[in-house]
Amino acid sequence: AAMVKETIRVYARVKPLGRRQQAGIYSVDDDEKTLSSLELIVPRDLADGFVNNKRESYKFKFQKIFDQEAKQDVVFDSVAKPVAECVLAGYNGTIFAYGQTGSGKTFTITGGAERYSDRGIIPRTLSYIFDQLQKDSSKVYTTHVSYLEIYNECGYDLLDPRHEASRLEDLPKVTIMEDPDQNIHLKNLSLQQATNEEEALNLLFLGDTNRVIAETPMNQASTRSHCIFTIHISSKEPGSATIRRSKLHLVDLAGSERVAKTGVGGHLLTEAKYINLSLHYLEQVIIALAEKNRSHIPYRNSMMTSVLRDSLGGNCMTTMIATLSIDKRSIDESISTCRFAQRVALIKNEAVLNEEIDPRLVIVQLKKEIQELKDELALVTGKQRTSELSQEELLQLDELIETFLEDNDPDSTLDVGADMRKIKYCFIHVKQLMNRSKISDTKLLSQRISEEKGTNKEAGEEELKKLKELLQQRDSEINILVNMLKKEKKKAQDALFQLNATSAGSTVLEKSLSINLEESQSPSSCFSLKEAKDFSSSVHRLPLLSRQTGGKMSLGCQEAFEVFKQDHGDSITIEDNKELLKQRFAEAKCLGEKLNEVRNKINHLKGEITQRHIQRAALAVSSPSEELNMLDPVEEKLRTQIEEEKNRYKAMFNHLKGLKVEIEHLQLLMEKVKTKLQKDFEVWWSEEAINLQQKKPEMVSSPNTVTVYPQFIKSLQPLSTNSFSETTRVSPNEDPVEKNNSIISSNTALKTRTPPSSSTSIPLTGDSQADADILAFIKARQNILQKKGKSCQ
């Protein structure tokens, strides 16, 4: 792509003086061949009679200087037209105005409202661009515009189509996003299509209406924000796959004067600080770009510099117009504006043609090209090329391959010409022949093996006999084991059934506790339904093997765990705790019943008092006498009885509360011990499994005279890791029969790390998992017996 390297062009424009303004002294010199120079003189009287050693004369060079009389069209032709031409050609462009408030920035960029001839750079550029687009029929153009305002470091979309804003805050907030290639994207900034000049100017007018204007002492209609009006153009030649996209930023910066000059405070001071800050960052970026060996340019410091990133030191044709106010009081500001302009003039930009390729069109082009090449090939070879080879050609190739393979000459070659289809076919055919020969080799080998087998037949039969005997022996052993396991299981189930019976008692307790006690007026004696529910649910909180997950612990492992449990010290603790729990449950149940009785008694007494009241009232009506107004001793007695009962109730209730705490604590303890027991078992079980695997491959004989071939042990993988799944809690209202099946009560999942076996498994009873568990169980049994033997000694 073409690239244009050039420095940023800088122009100056001097604002005509107002009636009351005193002119400063300046001179414009156009004599030099390419650049114009501007000389500014600091007036003596600014020194206020003191000796003033400051420089009096400053000279600056510009591309061109527009004096007070310069008209808008002249400014447009010199400044904006060259940039607009580049944008139409596919390069990015930027024009920005810089200067103090009231020096004519907005007039230069947007224009004045009085006369048509006062139109500024934006409307004139729009007119020029749409004129050019209409003239050029060789391409298809689309144009969009966007209008962004940056105020106090926040971006706002001035072309929000939904409404015209009364306040800046009503407008959509624009944020900056950066993609991995460091391109800036503005989120929430709407792109409005403009098909002609009128539409574009209407959008500009809408944006200007939405601009927020605040008054400062310096200028009644001063803009307090930066505004960026952008024209986006994309063009494409019909039939071509390349799209050119370019954009033109027209930027009206906020006033560059220093805060002290504006004489503002409060809200406007904050504004001025923000404006100065973003212009300060703009200046920093420009200084950094002007220095030769700077690697980092601080574009990210402000929104303004982020948006204009390409325009400064990037892929863009950039032009700046410095606006100067030449009255005496503004001479300082004018000098600083000119200094800024001189720095900007040092920056080099590299504008690249923005072309990209439309993938859909590329596909169409490539298809066309392929067809052309096919036609050309047919013309050269004289044959129409299809993707398939003819039958005749295939036979010919087969013959060629055969001769090539049979030829013993090491230098012989297989030549099928420069046809990729034929070459591919030959490779595939040779591969097939190779595979066939391999298969026939293996057949030969198997024949030989079977011949050898004939000789070893007798030996083989003997071994088979041995294996059969062993199998029978294993089967009978397994049957014995299964019976043994059933007995063990029965015991465990009975134990668990008792445990269930105790928890069933707790439901009775729940009913007796959840009695509504609202009638009794003493607030402390109101044992709420919710508390009763909590209490009873805590009674049920026994973790049991999960049914939902369908996770079952394999039988052998369960049985081993039962045996392990019997010999483990902690199981005694569990049993003790179980007994204690039973007692506590019984106490609680008893208390609940007593509480019930007391409550009924209180209600009964209350009923008696009410009856008494009715009787006395009836007496008072029939025979009024003095006695009836006095206190009734019977009622007094009843009331004292009620108080006593209430106190009993309170005491019992508190006792029940204490019991509840104790029961919960006991359950917690049991849970802890069970978890520990489970952990110990897990460790022991995995050790057993590993030991089983690491047995030396000689015959393993056990005290029970069980003889097992090592290969069986190997193939039986003592524990498959997925035979356990996490055990979770069972809800209290589940079927007790199901509970009986689940023997292990713990939340810890048993996980064992068993190295996978290398040899293929030989099923014994058809369920290798059960066999594995039985083997592990035999081993476990032996170990426990040995342990018992040792402890007896």
Side-chain angles (χ1 to χ4, degrees):
M3 186 193 282
V4 182
K5 262 194 184 182
E6 61 160 40
T7 53
I8 293 180
R9 298 182 172 200
V10 178
Y11 296 86
R13 186 176 194 185
V14 180
K15 186 189 176 182
L17 280 169
R19 271 173 299 187
R20 294 206 186 86
Q21 287 172 325
Q22 254 188 308
I25 307 160
Y26 76 100
S27 61
V28 176
D29 182 10
D30 278 335
D31 292 346
E32 291 179 42
K33 289 186 178 73
T34 49
L35 300 172
S36 317
S37 72
L38 172 72
E39 190 174 5
L40 294 168
I41 285 145
V42 179
R44 270 268 183 223
D45 59 354
L46 282 186
D48 292 333
F50 296 107
V51 175
N52 186 359
N53 293 329
K54 272 164 82 180
R55 268 174 63 187
E56 286 176 29
S57 156
Y58 292 85
K59 213 171 190 178
F60 302 103
K61 286 197 166 59
F62 290 95
Q63 202 82 34
K64 187 167 182 175
I65 296 159
F66 304 102
D67 213 338
Q68 298 183 30
E69 304 79 50
K71 293 279 177 282
Q72 293 279 60
D73 53 351
V74 179
V75 174
F76 168 75
D77 286 343
S78 306
V79 177
K81 204 171 170 181
V83 181
E85 279 165 1
C86 289
V87 171
L88 287 167
Y91 297 91
N92 292 339
T94 301
I95 300 168
F96 67 95
Y98 179 92
Q100 72 181 101
T101 302
S103 60
K105 292 192 304 297
T106 307
F107 182 78
T108 304
I109 291 286
T110 315
E114 267 95 80
R115 294 185 298 277
Y116 182 68
S117 58
D118 282 348
R119 285 172 309 147
I121 285 175
I122 300 180
R124 285 174 190 272
T125 307
L126 286 171
S127 296
Y128 175 75
I129 284 176
F130 282 108
D131 273 355
Q132 296 306 108
L133 297 189
Q134 270 176 335
K135 284 179 194 164
D136 183 5
S137 55
S138 66
K139 291 195 186 81
V140 182
Y141 288 96
T142 49
T143 48
H144 290 80
V145 298
S146 64
Y147 206 165
L148 169 71
E149 173 167 17
I150 299 171
Y151 177 78
N152 289 5
E153 271 309 285
C154 292
Y156 299 95
D157 180 9
L158 288 172
L159 297 185
D160 176 34
R162 289 165 296 182
H163 49 66
E164 288 184 13
S166 56
R167 296 195 339 276
L168 190 61
E169 286 71 33
D170 299 344
L171 292 170
K173 262 209 167 159
V174 179
T175 48
I176 284 182
M177 315 282 278
E178 194 171 339
D179 67 16
D181 301 332
Q182 311 237 304
N183 296 321
I184 293 289
H185 299 278
L186 296 165
K187 192 181 165 196
N188 262 357
L189 181 63
S190 60
L191 275 186
Q192 306 290 337
Q193 187 159 1
T195 47
N196 54 38
E197 183 186 342
E198 190 187 357
E199 281 179 27
L201 287 171
N202 282 342
L203 288 165
L204 170 66
F205 178 72
L206 167 74
D208 282 338
T209 314
N210 281 342
R211 267 181 90 162
V212 170
I213 286 167
E215 293 183 358
T216 69
M218 285 193 83
N219 177 6
Q220 301 299 282
S222 150
T223 48
R224 310 301 307 135
S225 55
H226 312 290
C227 286
I228 303 172
F229 184 84
T230 312
I231 306 163
H232 306 256
I233 301 175
S234 60
S235 64
K236 196 176 88 175
E237 282 179 33
S240 157
T242 52
I243 302 172
R244 284 184 182 178
R245 298 185 196 280
S246 54
K247 55 188 176 189
L248 171 57
H249 293 303
L250 300 161
V251 187
D252 181 6
L253 295 175
S256 63
E257 66 285 337
R258 290 184 288 281
V259 180
K261 262 280 169 64
T262 54
V264 295
H267 174 60
L268 289 177
L269 181 66
T270 316
E271 259 177 25
K273 276 184 196 157
Y274 270 117
I275 289 161
N276 272 34
L277 198 62
S278 66
L279 286 170
H280 165 68
Y281 286 132
L282 177 65
E283 214 162 319
Q284 277 194 339
V285 166
I286 280 157
I287 291 167
L289 286 163
E291 283 176 20
K292 286 282 181 294
N293 42 13
R294 274 290 282 269
S295 59
H296 172 69
I297 313 293
Y299 289 117
R300 282 208 188 107
N301 285 352
S302 76
M303 189 166 190
M304 181 58 199
T305 48
S306 297
V307 176
L308 293 184
R309 183 186 205 145
D310 274 350
S311 316
L312 305 164
N315 165 25
C316 195
M317 310 282 274
T318 304
T319 295
M320 170 182 158
I321 182 155
T323 56
L324 309 168
S325 180
I326 292 297
D327 72 319
K328 260 187 182 174
R329 284 172 312 171
S330 307
I331 225 85
D332 274 357
E333 288 294 344
S334 297
I335 289 169
S336 74
T337 300
C338 290
R339 279 193 175 136
F340 181 69
Q342 302 304 292
R343 282 202 291 270
V344 173
L346 299 173
I347 298 171
K348 276 197 176 66
N349 273 6
E350 293 179 8
V352 181
L353 201 59
N354 299 306
E355 283 188 335
E356 54 189 70
I357 287 167
D358 185 346
R360 288 168 304 179
L361 287 167
V362 173
I363 292 166
V364 173
Q365 279 186 341
L366 290 173
K367 280 182 177 167
K368 194 173 153 197
E369 199 175 327
I370 289 167
Q371 194 48 52
E372 282 170 4
L373 287 170
K374 275 186 177 172
D375 296 345
E376 203 175 312
L377 200 61
L379 197 71
V380 174
T381 55
K383 286 183 206 159
Q384 189 64 42
R385 189 56 79 88
T386 59
S387 55
E388 304 297 322
L389 290 163
S390 68
Q391 203 57 41
E392 193 183 336
E393 286 174 310
L394 291 175
L395 285 168
Q396 202 180 344
L397 286 172
D398 288 351
E399 272 175 38
L400 278 170
I401 293 166
E402 216 170 307
T403 7
F404 170 67
L405 291 174
E406 282 167 7
D407 192 350
N408 290 328
D409 180 6
D411 296 334
S412 68
T413 56
L414 175 61
D415 188 15
V416 290
D419 186 339
M420 271 317 285
R421 296 165 310 158
K422 289 183 178 177
I423 294 168
K424 271 186 185 163
Y425 175 79
C426 290
F427 272 115
I428 291 164
H429 195 72
V430 170
K431 188 179 179 182
Q432 284 168 349
L433 288 171
M434 285 279 292
N435 287 344
R436 270 183 222 146
S437 67
K438 267 189 200 164
I439 291 163
S440 59
D441 284 354
T442 52
K443 272 185 188 164
L444 268 170
L445 199 70
S446 61
Q447 275 173 0
R448 272 188 215 150
I449 288 167
S450 61
E451 284 163 20
E452 282 173 23
K453 263 192 180 167
T455 57
N456 295 342
K457 211 169 187 185
E458 296 82 31
E461 274 175 357
E462 248 175 67
E463 187 155 356
L464 194 70
K465 202 172 166 189
K466 271 186 197 169
L467 280 172
K468 273 185 180 167
E469 280 171 18
L470 181 79
L471 245 172
Q472 256 175 338
Q473 192 186 345
R474 292 274 296 112
D475 274 347
S476 59
E477 276 163 22
I478 285 165
N479 288 333
I480 296 162
L481 255 172
V482 168
N483 291 332
M484 202 166 93
L485 290 182
K486 277 180 186 165
K487 280 177 197 165
E488 287 277 354
K489 192 164 184 184
K490 182 88 176 66
K491 276 185 205 166
Q493 283 183 350
D494 291 347
L496 201 83
F497 185 70
Q498 284 173 351
L499 196 97
N500 276 337
T502 60
S503 64
S506 73
T507 49
V508 181
L509 175 68
E510 177 182 345
K511 281 179 193 157
S512 66
L513 288 181
S514 63
I515 293 152
N516 196 350
L517 299 166
E518 278 161 18
E519 301 101 22
S520 65
Q521 288 138 353
S522 151
S524 65
S525 67
C526 193
F527 184 56
S528 73
L529 194 67
K530 182 176 173 297
E531 268 187 76
K533 278 259 166 34
D534 288 351
F535 175 49
S536 59
S537 66
S538 71
V539 169
H540 283 288
R541 225 175 283 152
L542 296 170
L544 288 160
L545 200 62
S546 151
R547 283 271 160 269
Q548 294 92 312
T549 51
K552 288 184 188 150
M553 194 185 257
S554 68
L555 273 176
C557 187
Q558 286 184 16
E559 305 299 354
F561 180 55
E562 285 306 309
V563 177
F564 182 83
K565 219 157 70 173
Q566 287 164 21
D567 296 300
H568 196 285
D570 286 341
S571 65
I572 301 155
T573 323
I574 292 180
E575 288 308 314
D576 292 351
N577 282 349
K578 263 191 206 166
E579 281 308 309
L580 205 55
L581 258 179
K582 264 191 212 171
Q583 287 169 24
R584 293 291 171 265
F585 272 140
E587 274 179 53
K589 188 179 170 185
C590 185
L591 259 179
E593 283 163 11
K594 278 185 189 167
L595 274 175
N596 228 351
E597 281 168 27
V598 173
R599 199 184 59 87
N600 290 340
K601 202 167 183 183
I602 290 172
N603 287 347
H604 179 66
L605 289 169
K606 278 186 184 171
E608 280 185 29
I609 288 176
T610 319
Q611 283 297 111
R612 188 87 188 141
H613 279 179
I614 294 165
Q615 283 168 13
R616 301 218 354 153
L619 268 173
V621 173
S622 60
S623 56
S625 72
E626 281 300 307
E627 283 174 40
L628 289 176
N629 294 336
M630 285 159 64
L631 283 173
D632 176 13
V634 181
E635 192 180 321
E636 280 307 299
K637 198 178 169 193
L638 284 171
R639 284 195 187 281
T640 48
Q641 268 181 313
I642 286 180
E643 279 309 307
E644 278 168 25
E645 291 300 329
K646 274 188 182 174
N647 290 338
R648 266 184 73 200
Y649 188 94
K650 267 186 209 171
M652 277 153 86
F653 178 77
N654 289 337
H655 186 39
L656 185 63
K657 254 188 171 172
L659 268 180
K660 178 187 166 187
V661 174
E662 191 179 343
I663 287 174
E664 278 183 350
H665 184 70
L666 277 171
Q667 283 174 329
L668 205 72
L669 280 178
M670 276 178 77
E671 204 139 320
K672 273 189 182 165
V673 176
K674 280 178 185 173
T675 311
K676 181 173 174 290
L677 187 64
Q678 186 93 37
K679 284 253 169 68
D680 294 346
F681 172 67
E682 203 178 312
V683 172
W684 172 78
W685 180 264
S686 46
E687 278 171 12
E688 290 303 318
I690 290 162
N691 292 346
L692 251 173
Q693 288 251 310
Q694 289 170 346
K695 283 279 177 250
K696 293 173 182 61
E698 69 223 13
M699 302 284 273
V700 181
S701 64
S702 69
N704 295 22
T705 67
V706 182
T707 318
V708 186
Y709 269 98
Q711 91 197 59
F712 278 134
I713 293 176
K714 244 191 198 174
S715 70
L716 287 176
Q717 299 186 16
L719 266 181
S720 91
T721 320
N722 55 7
S723 66
F724 306 122
S725 97
E726 259 200 58
T727 58
T728 55
R729 300 183 172 204
V730 170
S731 58
N733 54 2
E734 246 184 63
D735 188 358
V737 183
E738 282 196 72
K739 281 191 190 172
N740 294 344
N741 298 345
S742 43
I743 288 159
I744 293 153
S745 356
S746 166
N747 280 345
T748 42
L750 297 183
K751 293 188 182 74
T752 56
R753 289 164 214 75
T754 315
S757 134
S758 50
S759 68
T760 54
S761 69
I762 303 164
L764 299 177
T765 58
D767 181 350
S768 64
Q769 179 52 51
D771 297 338
D773 288 330
I774 286 163
L775 267 181
F777 179 54
I778 296 167
K779 188 81 182 108
R781 251 309 196 211
Q782 285 167 17
N783 264 24
I784 288 162
L785 289 169
Q786 282 168 4
K787 272 188 197 167
K788 276 190 178 171
K790 276 181 196 166
S791 60
C792 291
Q793 286 165 14

